[in-house]
Amino acid sequence: MKDTKVKNLLAAEKKRQKSVINLVASENYVSDDVLKALGTETTNKYAEGYPGARYYGGNEVIDKIENLAIDRALKLFKLNPKKWGVNVQPHSGSPANIAVYQALVPQGGKIMGMSLAHGGHLTHGHGVSFSGKFWQQVPYGVSEKNEKIDYDELLKIAKKEKPDIVVTGYSAYPRKINFKKMREVADAAGAYLMVDMAHISGLIAGGQHPSPFTYADIVTTTTHKVLRGPRGGMIFARQDYGVGKKAPKTKKGKSVPTLFDQIQKSVFPGMQGGPHMNQIAALAVALKEADSASFKKYTEQVIKNTKTLSGELKKRGWRITSGGTDSHVFLMDVWKEGLTGKEASERLEKEGIIVNMNTIPYDTRSPFNPSGLRLGTAAETTRGKKEKDMIALAERIDKILRK
Ligand code: DSN
């Protein structure tokens, strides 16, 4: 690379990544093949539209790449292409969620989503994001008693508030989600059920979390968390009108767009321009990697590592919210031991351990300096870490935080 400034910065970031312990729950390390695909000539190409229907010439190879990513995505999640379609063009998770709301929720309509403070995502209706500005959030949280979702409480909220869409799938909720119950919640309001599986799509692919597809109308995901692909997003949508919904009646002869058709239009031309074809090529590589026995084993190890790390910290006196985890992530209440989340994460970073500060349910502190830390093991498991490493890591974290 001729540009030495950028070259040096890239080398410095590579060195940083190699030298730290990375417990950021939403990060991972991609394979060399995924990295190679990202740095290819596909980044030069404009491909507005979809395979076979582009607004630019010269897309014969690009079409094959996008179709490969589509086929592999459907295969990975065991979906019948007659029943489900997938759009692999969203630039990331937030644009994927915008595209869904734009397609399915009337302006000013209601999005029932978990509050950020309880583990939801900004794009699930929070007031500082587009999702809470153009639509109204109907917030829900976890129970104060056990910090888990109380599905009966959600049913009551849905019946009362009648949201247009119910969103499940979270950024900081360590427990398994009961998608059947979430379907009942959506049905109680006649709403669509959207599953944002960004954090858990890799676990679902690896068989470590129940699949949402039986119950969901729409499923969105990022591609770079446990799934271990390049940064990007996908939207899976039914090739019909939603679970249990009949084709709406129209003036004769008019065909009605299915959910998938509506999503396609919403992504392009509704919101995005040209897809990032280098991302999509790299995604195709990652989806094949995830469709393997070794990826399944990787996700099993992720769960073992998270359970071990959280369990060992618990043994050393740290409160883990909801009492533990079933997934790749858990939350640690550091305020209970007199430390703020910011102080704790800064102390760990000084010692080469990267985490992120996070609110805990019913936090009495602000998101800028909350009571908790969010820890995940997806990245360190990729680097080959096992239970014994997690025990040593818990001991180190405990020592650093109690100094
Ligand atoms: N997906 C979020 C995270 O969990 O880190 C960022 O938007």
Side-chain angles (χ1 to χ4, degrees):
M1 189 183 285
K2 287 194 208 87
D3 185 332
T4 47
K5 269 201 180 142
V6 173
K7 187 180 171 186
N8 291 341
L9 288 170
L10 293 175
E13 174 58 11
K14 185 173 176 179
K15 191 171 163 206
R16 184 201 69 80
Q17 286 191 15
K18 280 190 189 286
S19 66
V20 296
I21 296 211
N22 184 3
L23 297 177
V24 176
S26 47
E27 292 182 8
N28 212 330
Y29 296 103
V30 298
S31 69
D32 287 347
D33 285 357
V34 169
L35 267 189
K36 272 186 203 138
L38 278 172
T40 56
E41 293 72 11
T42 48
T43 195
N44 299 331
K45 190 69 196 104
Y46 248 115
E48 279 183 0
Y50 292 105
R54 306 281 189 187
Y55 289 82
Y56 295 77
N59 273 307
E60 61 276 14
V61 179
I62 292 297
D63 278 5
K64 285 184 187 153
I65 293 172
E66 187 164 340
N67 278 329
L68 193 59
I70 289 168
D71 293 347
R72 287 180 177 177
L74 293 172
K75 181 169 175 280
L76 180 63
F77 292 99
K78 302 181 176 59
L79 299 173
N80 177 347
K82 289 202 177 96
K83 297 201 168 147
W84 284 89
V86 60
N87 186 310
V88 296
Q89 294 191 2
H91 297 153
S92 199
S94 297
N97 291 350
I98 298 178
V100 174
Y101 304 145
Q102 176 174 256
L104 303 180
V105 186
Q107 268 183 33
K110 291 181 174 177
I111 298 171
M112 181 167 158
M114 189 184 273
S115 334
L116 187 71
H118 284 226
H121 191 254
L122 282 169
T123 61
H124 297 178
H126 194 286
V128 300
S129 105
F130 69 89
S131 62
K133 289 187 201 293
F134 305 142
W135 294 280
Q136 254 179 278
Q137 189 190 40
V138 174
Y140 66 89
V142 292
S143 140
E144 196 161 6
K145 198 173 64 199
N146 58 14
E147 297 169 311
K148 294 179 185 170
I149 295 173
D150 175 349
Y151 295 93
D152 292 334
E153 182 57 30
L154 266 57
L155 260 179
K156 279 187 209 151
I157 298 172
K159 278 182 189 157
K160 179 164 175 263
E161 297 287 345
K162 294 267 180 282
D164 298 281
I165 196 164
V166 172
V167 181
T168 181
Y170 313 103
S171 290
Y173 182 69
R175 296 302 185 171
K176 278 190 182 138
I177 301 163
N178 186 332
F179 294 122
K180 185 168 186 277
K181 293 252 185 218
M182 289 307 301
R183 177 78 251 169
E184 288 165 18
V185 171
D187 286 346
Y192 290 115
L193 178 63
M194 168 176 139
V195 177
D196 179 345
M197 63 171 183
H199 264 266
I200 53 174
S201 55
L203 298 179
I204 293 165
Q208 306 306 311
H209 190 290
S211 168
F213 289 94
T214 311
Y215 303 105
D217 299 305
I218 300 279
V219 179
T220 62
T221 186
T222 50
T223 51
H224 46 271
K225 296 188 172 89
V226 183
L227 191 58
R228 212 161 59 182
R231 304 193 79 79
M234 296 193 278
I235 306 172
F236 296 84
R238 288 184 177 263
Q239 302 268 21
D240 57 25
Y241 306 93
V243 174
K245 290 200 174 72
K246 294 208 174 85
K249 288 208 171 89
T250 57
K251 289 177 194 143
K252 52 177 176 297
K254 276 230 160 191
S255 69
V256 182
T258 62
L259 293 186
F260 181 60
D261 293 339
Q262 292 183 64
I263 292 300
Q264 293 283 87
K265 278 203 184 116
S266 184
V267 173
F268 177 82
M271 194 190 53
Q272 289 188 176
H276 296 174
M277 287 313 306
N278 59 327
Q279 252 183 351
I280 293 175
L283 173 62
V285 175
L287 290 167
K288 179 145 189 252
E289 290 174 353
D291 204 355
S292 65
S294 65
F295 187 81
K296 188 175 190 314
K297 235 175 140 194
Y298 158 70
T299 57
E300 279 165 14
Q301 190 62 49
V302 168
I303 305 281
K304 283 182 198 161
N305 284 353
T306 329
K307 282 187 186 286
T308 307
L309 184 57
S310 59
E312 290 293 320
L313 286 163
K314 202 168 159 181
K315 269 193 211 159
R316 289 165 174 80
W318 296 93
R319 190 179 87 80
I320 308 299
T321 70
S322 83
T325 178
D326 309 318
S327 69
H328 63 298
V329 63
F330 64 93
L331 293 172
M332 200 170 146
D333 178 356
V334 289
W335 185 235
K336 195 167 169 283
E337 304 297 315
L339 273 175
T340 71
K342 193 160 188 270
E343 277 175 321
S345 82
E346 283 171 1
R347 265 203 217 176
L348 290 170
E349 180 155 2
K350 272 198 197 123
E351 302 291 330
I353 299 174
I354 312 296
V355 299
N356 69 279
M357 59 179 181
N358 218 96
T359 48
I360 56 172
Y362 301 94
D363 209 324
T364 50
R365 304 185 53 81
S366 99
F368 303 106
N369 195 358
S371 300
L373 293 179
R374 185 183 70 161
L375 289 83
T377 62
E380 288 305 313
T381 308
T382 292
R383 297 168 113 186
K385 300 274 166 58
K386 297 261 166 36
E387 289 93 320
K388 65 172 182 2
D389 305 299
M390 295 299 126
I391 297 169
L393 190 53
E395 206 172 299
R396 232 181 112 193
I397 292 174
D398 179 58
K399 268 202 190 124
I400 296 167
L401 295 183
R402 293 204 192 272
K403 242 198 265 177

